Amino acid sequence: MMKKTQALLLCLALLCVSACAMADVPARDRAGNAIAVPQTVQTIVSLAPSITRVIVDLGMGDRLVAVDMYSVGIEGLPEDLPALDAMAPDAERLIALMPDIVLASGMSLVGEGDALNMLTDLGVCVAYIPSSNSIAGIMDDILFIGQAVGNEEGSLALCDAMTAAIDALRAEASEPVPVYFEIGSMPALYSFGSDTFLDEMITLLGGRNIFGDKQGWLSVADESVIALSPAIIFTNEDWNPNAVQDIISRPGWESVDAVTKGKVFLIDGNASSQPNHRIVLALEEMAKAFDNNAIR
């Protein structure tokens, strides 16, 4: 099913590339700042992989003239694009490029932002898209990107495909399954509570985040996970080939229900961590943990 969903996400968007209508451009970015988007956008700088992925899947990768370092390797990017530090982009390179629009995430708000301020002073449109904490917010981000680059039809198609995939996966559970999702293990254990899109993803699959009584992104105690004994454990540390085995072999975790029953699963790191339309691919991987293991 994952391959079918991925193909649907791409095909619906690409069908709409030729219909890049002259829709009204947004007057404010996703951070609430007033912006002046050009009516025609031919050159784009993306400073976040989640944004770059949307641009590419809208069929507009050829308009990218620079990306952030973490976007390098995304299939569909032009070769030899300048790769910039999102928190401290090279001002001289950006000024030389003079793009029609720069799309940046909250990462670029962490640094001094001098390079982006200089571009704004020169009349370049700089639009911020802080990471959204809900699926609805992610869809709004996608729509904003489509409107900002002149492909609202394509962004609507991506959102429609997301909605269809989510509706197909949505589950009703009389007794939600307790779930622990580990997004980091060094130097401490990291997870999340409510007010995050990953918590929402667990809930719509019929699960219950064991740290759902907390909020946002969290550092969690090893003892807390053991005491709460989740029935399913997810990790998205796919850079570590031993991520699942590392969890299973932790001292004291042999008593955790998910470890005892062999229900520890590796989830695609990009699909589960980047707030864009491809979270549905992570949802499909997660759904297998519920459906294929007779949890409920």
Side-chain angles (χ1 to χ4, degrees):
M1 185 175 180
M2 184 185 302
K3 290 182 179 178
K4 290 182 180 178
T5 300
Q6 189 168 9
L8 180 63
L9 288 171
L10 291 172
C11 290
L12 283 175
L14 293 174
L15 284 171
C16 296
V17 171
S18 61
C20 296
M22 294 296 288
D24 291 337
V25 295
R28 293 188 177 274
D29 65 15
R30 292 288 289 152
N33 304 305
I35 53 174
V37 178
Q39 281 292 337
T40 301
V41 173
Q42 296 295 334
T43 55
I44 305 166
V45 170
S46 169
L47 293 179
S50 57
I51 298 171
T52 303
R53 183 77 264 176
V54 174
I55 298 296
V56 169
D57 285 356
L58 286 174
M60 303 179 75
D62 59 344
R63 301 193 190 189
L64 288 163
V65 293
V67 294
D68 67 291
M69 294 183 294
Y70 295 107
S71 290
V72 174
I74 290 178
E75 186 178 355
L77 286 180
E79 294 183 4
D80 303 319
L81 278 182
L84 309 174
D85 182 347
M87 295 178 65
D90 187 317
E92 290 186 4
R93 294 180 91 177
L94 280 172
I95 291 171
L97 291 168
M98 284 298 287
D100 293 322
I101 191 168
V102 176
L103 299 171
S105 74
M107 288 191 300
S108 298
L109 290 169
V110 174
E112 294 298 323
D114 290 345
L116 299 187
N117 288 339
M118 290 170 64
L119 279 180
T120 301
D121 292 341
L122 291 170
V124 174
C125 178
V126 176
Y128 288 99
I129 309 171
S131 295
S132 287
N133 56 11
S134 69
I135 293 174
I138 290 172
M139 291 190 185
D140 287 342
D141 293 341
I142 294 168
L143 290 173
F144 170 83
I145 293 170
Q147 292 169 343
V149 300
N151 193 354
E152 184 176 11
E153 295 284 347
S155 63
L156 285 168
L158 287 181
C159 290
D160 287 345
M162 276 185 73
T163 300
I166 289 168
D167 287 346
L169 292 167
R170 194 180 302 275
E172 295 293 337
S174 57
E175 188 173 338
V177 180
V179 176
Y180 167 60
F181 198 130
E182 186 168 290
I183 59 174
S185 61
M186 294 184 296
L189 302 184
Y190 296 96
S191 188
F192 51 84
S194 62
D195 201 29
T196 60
F197 66 86
L198 282 168
D199 177 78
E200 187 177 351
M201 288 162 65
I202 289 172
T203 299
L204 71 85
L205 289 174
R208 174 181 59 79
N209 179 7
I210 63 170
F211 294 112
D213 59 335
K214 298 176 174 58
Q215 193 173 36
W217 309 101
L218 309 167
S219 173
V220 300
D222 187 89
E223 295 80 8
S224 295
V225 180
I226 295 172
L228 292 168
S229 193
I232 296 176
I233 293 176
F234 295 122
T235 172
N236 64 358
E237 289 194 315
D238 55 3
W239 55 267
N240 176 9
N242 301 313
V244 169
Q245 186 57 42
D246 287 351
I247 290 173
I248 292 172
S249 60
R250 286 175 186 162
W253 286 51
E254 65 275 3
S255 63
V256 174
D257 191 26
V259 173
T260 301
K261 296 178 180 176
K263 295 181 174 64
V264 182
F265 302 92
L266 182 66
I267 303 300
D268 183 278
N270 287 330
S272 60
S273 63
Q274 295 179 14
N276 60 32
H277 54 292
R278 295 207 169 200
I279 62 169
V280 298
L281 304 180
L283 265 174
E284 289 181 344
E285 290 184 343
M286 292 164 64
K288 292 177 182 177
F290 292 88
D291 295 335
N292 293 350
N293 291 274
I295 292 290
R296 60 178 191 272

